[in-house]
Amino acid sequence: MIRPCTSSEFQTVREVINDAAMAYKDTIPPQLYREPWMSEQYFEEEISRGVQFLGFEENQSLVGVMGVQDVKDVTLIRHSYVRTSQRGKGIGGALLNHHIAHSSRPILVGCLKAMTWAISFYQKHGFTLVSDAQRDELRARYWNLSSEHVKNSVVLADRKWLAGYEVV
């Protein structure tokens, strides 16, 4: 079942994220890795910025989460994680497809270049890598990131954005 996460579940949401993010530890540049990946303070900051979390519940247990944020005229997928023990079961795809089906806005995803599995996941679901020039323009318009983070990242866009959505 896919449903909005409640504030009483925020600790569990963080547990799902931190479990799944262990895959980053030896993959992304060390200057960008932090442990825990999602601290309580960072999570609270994300919530205050308007990030909303959907959860995938199975057997009364939260096994996957996706955090989305409406920014200006697009929706950003900010967080997408599935518990390590539950990977490969279609949970991430179900969360993504649910969001795509319920969003009228173009959807953008930012991802670190080293997360090749995540890039492939989004491409498998119809997202396309934008050019480096578009990436830089989109990052400046919709995200607030360090230059180090930007140079180590990519942006993927959904079909709505690719169908003529222009960066102004």
Side-chain angles (χ1 to χ4, degrees), residues 46-126:
E46 290 291 87
I47 296 297
S48 72
R49 289 184 193 105
V51 176
Q52 299 177 342
F53 285 88
L54 288 177
F56 188 103
E57 184 179 326
E58 185 174 82
N59 299 324
Q60 299 179 332
S61 178
L62 199 59
V63 295
V65 296
M66 179 171 283
V68 298
Q69 179 184 26
D70 290 340
V71 177
K72 298 179 182 178
D73 50 355
V74 301
T75 296
L76 305 177
I77 295 178
R78 297 291 310 275
H79 305 282
S80 185
Y81 299 92
V82 174
R83 285 191 190 270
T84 303
S85 63
Q86 299 295 315
R87 288 189 184 144
K89 297 181 178 181
I91 295 167
L95 282 163
L96 181 59
N97 289 332
H98 177 87
H99 184 66
I100 291 169
H102 291 88
S103 178
S104 60
R105 296 166 162 249
I107 301 170
L108 300 173
V109 181
C111 186
L112 291 168
K113 290 176 188 176
M115 296 176 182
T116 55
W117 66 90
I119 295 167
S120 295
F121 167 80
Y122 288 110
Q123 289 175 319
K124 181 176 124 182
H125 287 88

Side-chain angles (χ1 to χ4, degrees), residues 3-17:
R3 59 173 178 70
C5 296
T6 65
S7 59
S8 66
E9 297 176 295
F10 285 172
Q11 178 62 33
T12 306
V13 171
R14 286 184 50 245
E15 288 171 8
V16 171
I17 292 170

